[in-house]
Amino acid sequence: MEEQQEQNIIIFKLTSGDEVIANMIGEQGPVFVLENPYAFTYTTTPDGKLNGGIMKWMGQSSDGIVMLNAHQVVATTTPKDEIIRAYNISAGNIPNIEIPEQKIILG
């Protein structure tokens, strides 16, 4: 049985303005070693509401490991529990998740 590695989920604010969430698996000098990084995306609806989501960052990586130069990081923070859950679902860290059936009641 494969041993489950403890996660260290961090949000990084980059000098570019991007916000990246990832499992930080180590540091090598001035470089953060990230596993399964995702970027936050934001869109505005026609009525002015802000919608957010996450999408794969550096998605062409062959193994999901990305080296992030610490000089490109403005700030870091620990995400809220619901953000960690959304990240884990997107990154495939929660196997066999069941999504409840949605029912619409009319009338």
Side-chain angles (χ1 to χ4, degrees):
M1 181 187 290
E2 189 175 313
E3 187 175 319
Q4 190 78 332
Q5 180 180 335
E6 186 171 327
Q7 292 185 313
N8 185 23
I9 309 298
I10 305 288
I11 295 175
F12 298 86
K13 178 73 168 187
L14 307 183
T15 57
S16 65
D18 290 345
E19 294 179 9
V20 175
I21 184 170
N23 183 25
M24 188 175 81
I25 57 174
E27 293 182 54
Q28 296 177 357
V31 173
F32 297 114
V33 182
L34 308 181
E35 179 180 49
N36 294 324
Y38 279 73
F40 288 90
T41 60
Y42 302 97
T43 57
T44 305
T45 63
D47 61 352
K49 293 181 182 173
L50 186 65
N51 287 333
I54 60 174
M55 62 181 271
K56 196 88 162 135
W57 188 66
M58 301 285 291
Q60 304 307 314
S61 170
S62 63
D63 60 2
I65 304 297
V66 174
M67 310 296 264
L68 176 63
N69 187 320
H71 299 293
Q72 299 302 314
V73 177
V74 175
T76 62
T77 190
T78 302
K80 298 175 184 176
D81 289 342
E82 59 265 26
I83 300 298
I84 292 173
R85 179 166 171 71
Y87 167 79
N88 280 325
I89 290 169
S90 295
N93 297 333
I94 301 177
N96 302 324
I97 185 164
E98 287 188 35
I99 299 174
E101 182 181 336
Q102 299 284 324
K103 295 185 180 189
I104 299 175
I105 301 171
L106 301 173

